[in-house]
Amino acid sequence: MTEISHLLCENITKIYRGGSLDGSADVSALKGVTLEVPHGQFLAIMGASGSGKSTLLHIAAGLTKPTSGTVRINETQISSLGDRALTLFRRENVGVVFQAFNLIPTLTAEENILLPILAGGKSGGTEKMNAAMTQILTRLNLLERRRHYPDALSGGEQQRVAIARALFTDFLNEDSKASLLFADEPTGNLDSANSEVICRLLRELCDERKHTMVVVTHEPSVAHWADRVITLQDGKILHDQTAAEFAAQNSAKEA
Ligand SMILES: Nc1ncnc2c1ncn2[C@@H]1O[C@H](COP(=O)(O)OP(=O)(O)OP(=O)(O)O)[C@@H](O)[C@H]1O
Ligand SMILES: [Mg+2]
């Protein structure tokens, strides 16, 4: 893993083609977004439903190609990588927690968490891996559920398994100095106590291990843990604020 995890999105646009010949059904989801996230920053992306948050996150993580614009992670222009190179690059450098958790129904919680590592060619069951597994399961309050299948888990538990899967590579490499984690509504299905567990964990990963975090949320209470908050509106950045500016604006709204 590299020492630096830095993200640069330049002039990103995304048009979803609607299939009509005259283009009338096309959706312009992003309309020129430029965003730089420095190493070690915890960024929250807010905005109304449909404003383009998930689209931006997927493009920044290399899961979706932009219609125009470029994405650079560290020194790599990911928008110019081929599919295979991109998959390998993501596996090494990027963790993603999806809005829909994408757990494999025929694998237990533990097997789901191990999947990216095994897909990367490492073998399971080593002492180091078991220790990291116990550590992450404990941290996310899942130890008793490790052998359950997704359909036997609550929505919140499934969400925590998806978070554990995205973070596992990292728990395995104690010496990893940097990685980039993207999460789409990671606390969307959690009660406030579990939501706080997740936010605290993300904050600690930023502070202790200098991770770079990009977290989509609609909850101000989650954004308060971030260093910086951007707000999207209709495919553009409306506000780009420090956490303090965001908190001040938010408490003025509530007052
Ligand atoms: N695959 C797709 N095909 C066509 N339109 C899409 C597709 N995915 C998203 N869109 C549209 O693009 C716009 C932005 O969607 P996006 O999922 O990025 O919003 P969001 O801010 O994440 O919303 P939410 O808070 O509801 O998750 C929306 O108008 C949506 O309907
Ligand atoms: Mg979304």
Side-chain angles (χ1 to χ4, degrees):
M1 236 176 242
T2 40
E3 295 281 318
I4 298 286
S5 54
H6 168 265
L7 170 70
L8 178 63
C9 299
E10 282 185 297
N11 293 315
I12 302 293
T13 70
K14 180 68 180 179
I15 298 170
Y16 290 110
R17 301 288 171 199
S20 62
L21 285 176
D22 65 354
S24 60
D26 291 354
V27 175
S28 189
L30 294 175
K31 300 172 180 167
V33 170
T34 293
L35 176 66
E36 182 163 16
V37 187
H39 176 57
Q41 186 168 74
F42 185 161
L43 171 76
I45 301 179
M46 297 197 70
S49 178
S51 58
K53 304 181 297 295
S54 294
T55 303
L56 178 58
L57 183 120
H58 285 211
I59 289 174
L63 297 160
T64 304
K65 297 252 183 242
T67 303
S68 66
T70 55
V71 178
R72 208 178 73 201
I73 293 178
N74 309 331
E75 297 309 312
T76 306
Q77 185 100 346
I78 63 165
S79 21
S80 63
L81 293 179
D83 287 349
R84 180 161 170 73
L86 186 56
T87 303
L88 293 175
F89 180 83
R90 274 209 316 269
R91 197 178 283 153
E92 285 299 310
N93 296 280
V94 172
V96 183
V97 181
F98 295 95
Q99 188 166 14
F101 326 125
N102 296 354
L103 298 178
I104 311 280
T106 53
L107 299 180
T108 64
E110 197 168 29
E111 290 163 348
N112 265 286
I113 295 170
L114 279 175
L115 194 63
I117 300 268
L118 302 183
K122 292 205 178 70
S123 46
T126 63
E127 208 168 295
K128 193 174 160 210
M129 214 175 272
N130 293 340
M133 180 62 76
T134 304
Q135 195 195 359
I136 198 159
L137 289 170
T138 307
R139 194 91 182 244
L140 292 177
N141 229 333
L142 286 168
L143 205 52
E144 325 271 79
R145 297 283 179 273
R146 64 197 297 171
R147 302 205 207 292
H148 286 228
Y149 292 93
D151 67 2
L153 295 169
S154 73
E157 287 164 350
Q158 291 178 41
Q159 182 130 36
R160 293 189 331 262
V161 171
I163 292 169
R165 180 182 54 189
L167 294 175
F168 188 65
T169 316
D170 205 78
F171 269 68
L172 208 51
N173 303 324
E174 292 121 45
D175 54 340
S176 95
K177 294 265 192 327
S179 72
L180 194 52
L181 183 78
F182 295 93
D184 199 349
E185 303 272 6
T187 61
N189 291 281
L190 302 180
D191 57 34
S192 58
N194 273 309
S195 173
E196 193 174 326
V197 167
I198 298 302
C199 290
R200 192 177 298 281
L201 175 65
L202 297 180
R203 185 70 254 176
E204 282 169 10
L205 288 169
C206 261
D207 293 343
E208 293 161 16
R209 314 184 80 163
K210 290 286 166 256
H211 281 29
T212 307
M213 301 276 168
V214 177
V215 177
V216 166
T217 183
H218 62 268
E219 294 164 89
S221 63
V222 173
H224 285 303
W225 289 83
D227 300 310
R228 172 183 174 199
V229 184
I230 65 164
T231 306
L232 290 183
Q233 186 181 58
D234 195 20
K236 290 191 198 131
I237 296 180
L238 175 68
H239 297 299
D240 187 345
Q241 297 167 305
T242 64
E245 287 163 351
F246 173 79
Q249 189 197 16
N250 222 39
S251 60
K253 255 191 231 159
E254 274 159 24

Short mmCIF file of all heavy atoms in Angstrom, two decimals, residues 60 69 99 101 118 120-121 127 135 163 217 245:
data_model
loop_
_atom_site.label_atom_id
_atom_site.label_comp_id
_atom_site.label_asym_id
_atom_site.label_seq_id
_atom_site.Cartn_x
_atom_site.Cartn_y
_atom_site.Cartn_z
N ALA A 60 -15.77 8.31 -8.26
CA ALA A 60 -14.51 8.56 -7.55
C ALA A 60 -13.83 7.25 -7.16
O ALA A 60 -12.60 7.15 -7.14
CB ALA A 60 -14.76 9.42 -6.31
N GLY A 69 -14.43 14.11 -17.86
CA GLY A 69 -13.69 14.44 -16.65
C GLY A 69 -12.76 13.31 -16.25
O GLY A 69 -12.81 12.22 -16.82
N GLN A 99 -24.37 1.39 -0.80
CA GLN A 99 -25.67 1.76 -0.22
C GLN A 99 -26.55 0.50 -0.10
O GLN A 99 -27.20 0.28 0.91
CB GLN A 99 -26.34 2.82 -1.11
CG GLN A 99 -27.59 3.42 -0.52
CD GLN A 99 -28.03 4.69 -1.24
OE1 GLN A 99 -27.56 5.00 -2.33
NE2 GLN A 99 -28.95 5.42 -0.64
N PHE A 101 -26.06 -3.37 0.37
CA PHE A 101 -24.82 -3.93 0.95
C PHE A 101 -24.08 -4.90 0.05
O PHE A 101 -22.91 -5.15 0.23
CB PHE A 101 -25.11 -4.60 2.30
CG PHE A 101 -26.19 -3.94 3.08
CD1 PHE A 101 -27.29 -4.66 3.52
CD2 PHE A 101 -26.09 -2.59 3.38
CE1 PHE A 101 -28.30 -4.03 4.24
CE2 PHE A 101 -27.10 -1.97 4.10
CZ PHE A 101 -28.20 -2.69 4.53
N LEU A 118 -9.71 -13.31 -0.26
CA LEU A 118 -9.58 -14.60 -0.94
C LEU A 118 -9.58 -14.38 -2.46
O LEU A 118 -8.80 -15.01 -3.18
CB LEU A 118 -10.72 -15.54 -0.54
CG LEU A 118 -10.82 -15.83 0.97
CD1 LEU A 118 -11.94 -16.83 1.24
CD2 LEU A 118 -9.51 -16.35 1.54
N GLY A 120 -8.41 -11.95 -3.92
CA GLY A 120 -7.10 -11.39 -4.25
C GLY A 120 -6.00 -12.44 -4.21
O GLY A 120 -4.82 -12.11 -4.40
N GLY A 121 -6.35 -13.70 -3.93
CA GLY A 121 -5.39 -14.78 -4.02
C GLY A 121 -4.74 -15.19 -2.70
O GLY A 121 -3.95 -16.12 -2.65
N GLU A 127 -3.14 -17.47 11.32
CA GLU A 127 -3.31 -16.95 12.67
C GLU A 127 -3.55 -15.44 12.63
O GLU A 127 -4.40 -14.90 13.33
CB GLU A 127 -2.03 -17.25 13.45
CG GLU A 127 -2.24 -17.39 14.93
CD GLU A 127 -0.99 -17.98 15.58
OE1 GLU A 127 -0.65 -19.14 15.28
OE2 GLU A 127 -0.36 -17.24 16.34
N GLN A 135 -10.77 -9.18 15.82
CA GLN A 135 -10.67 -7.77 16.15
C GLN A 135 -11.79 -6.95 15.48
O GLN A 135 -12.49 -6.17 16.13
CB GLN A 135 -9.30 -7.26 15.71
CG GLN A 135 -8.92 -5.93 16.31
CD GLN A 135 -7.74 -5.30 15.57
OE1 GLN A 135 -7.19 -5.86 14.62
NE2 GLN A 135 -7.35 -4.12 16.00
N ILE A 163 -19.46 -3.10 6.13
CA ILE A 163 -18.40 -2.18 6.56
C ILE A 163 -17.15 -2.97 6.93
O ILE A 163 -16.03 -2.62 6.55
CB ILE A 163 -18.89 -1.31 7.74
CG1 ILE A 163 -19.98 -0.35 7.23
CG2 ILE A 163 -17.75 -0.55 8.39
CD1 ILE A 163 -20.73 0.38 8.32
N THR A 217 -23.84 10.77 3.28
CA THR A 217 -24.82 10.64 4.36
C THR A 217 -25.90 11.70 4.22
O THR A 217 -25.67 12.74 3.63
CB THR A 217 -24.14 10.75 5.75
OG1 THR A 217 -25.13 10.53 6.75
CG2 THR A 217 -23.51 12.11 5.96
N GLU A 245 -17.97 25.23 9.98
CA GLU A 245 -18.92 26.04 9.21
C GLU A 245 -20.25 25.30 9.05
O GLU A 245 -21.32 25.87 9.18
CB GLU A 245 -18.35 26.36 7.82
CG GLU A 245 -17.25 27.39 7.84
CD GLU A 245 -16.42 27.41 6.54
OE1 GLU A 245 -16.59 26.50 5.69
OE2 GLU A 245 -15.59 28.31 6.40
#
